[in-house]
Amino acid sequence: MLAEKQLHLVSWGDLRAGGGNASRVGEDLRMLLFAEGDADDGAYERLENELEAQGDLFQCAPVAVATIVAAVAEGSIPAANLATSLDVLGRIVTGYADRSEIALGNGDLREQCRAEAMKGYWSLLRVAVERDPFNAWQVARAVLAVLDEEHSRRILE
């Protein structure tokens, strides 16, 4: 799986996260994206505060978006985890750079994250039209509405 390989290529400990450095983010993403069933071991909750905390984004967020989008594109996320993974993506693309990131000259995190998410636009559309039993299609539609409301609405009608 290429998305999982991408996770291992990132120096997560060199990136900033909500709790300081992002050393745990890579492993939490791996659990969220690739663990079977409910075996995420609290990764979803931890990511909520590391990638974005109450709408504030941190340096590691664009890399996380790229990884999620790659996993969606290759179809490697277990069906039971797809809605949750897309929920994380949706929270990131609606966020804004944390004040600490702005102070460090990284105020365009929202734009970076959305640009990464747009690379997976067609894969997100595929998920949005496939009515899965876990309702990932509804979450994908919400993400698409944030990224490109006008065009996605016309395509999905």
Side-chain angles (χ1 to χ4, degrees), residues 98-110:
D98 185 74
R99 288 183 180 154
S100 64
E101 293 293 345
I102 293 169
L104 293 168
N106 209 9
D108 66 341
L109 281 173
R110 178 186 184 118

Side-chain angles (χ1 to χ4, degrees), residues 51-107:
L51 299 171
E52 72 77 36
Q54 298 179 351
D56 293 337
L57 299 175
F58 300 93
Q59 183 186 31
C60 63
V63 181
V65 169
T67 304
I68 295 168
V69 167
V72 170
E74 71 183 11
S76 59
I77 303 172
N81 299 2
L82 185 56
T84 305
S85 300
L86 292 175
D87 182 63
V88 170
L89 177 63
R91 284 187 288 120
I92 295 170
V93 298
T94 58
Y96 291 93
D98 185 74
R99 288 183 180 154
S100 64
E101 293 293 345
I102 293 169
L104 293 168
N106 209 9

Side-chain angles (χ1 to χ4, degrees), residues 23-75:
S23 59
R24 176 85 187 165
V25 171
E27 180 59 21
D28 284 339
L29 276 173
R30 189 188 68 71
M31 292 298 294
L32 180 71
L33 297 173
F34 307 115
E36 289 294 331
D38 232 3
D40 78 4
D41 191 33
Y44 175 78
E45 290 79 12
R46 284 189 301 274
L47 286 171
E48 184 175 6
N49 294 314
E50 297 295 321
L51 299 171
E52 72 77 36
Q54 298 179 351
D56 293 337
L57 299 175
F58 300 93
Q59 183 186 31
C60 63
V63 181
V65 169
T67 304
I68 295 168
V69 167
V72 170
E74 71 183 11

Side-chain angles (χ1 to χ4, degrees), residues 143-154:
V143 171
L144 287 165
V146 169
L147 295 175
D148 186 17
E149 181 178 3
E150 180 182 342
H151 290 101
S152 65
R153 185 176 59 240
R154 282 194 225 150

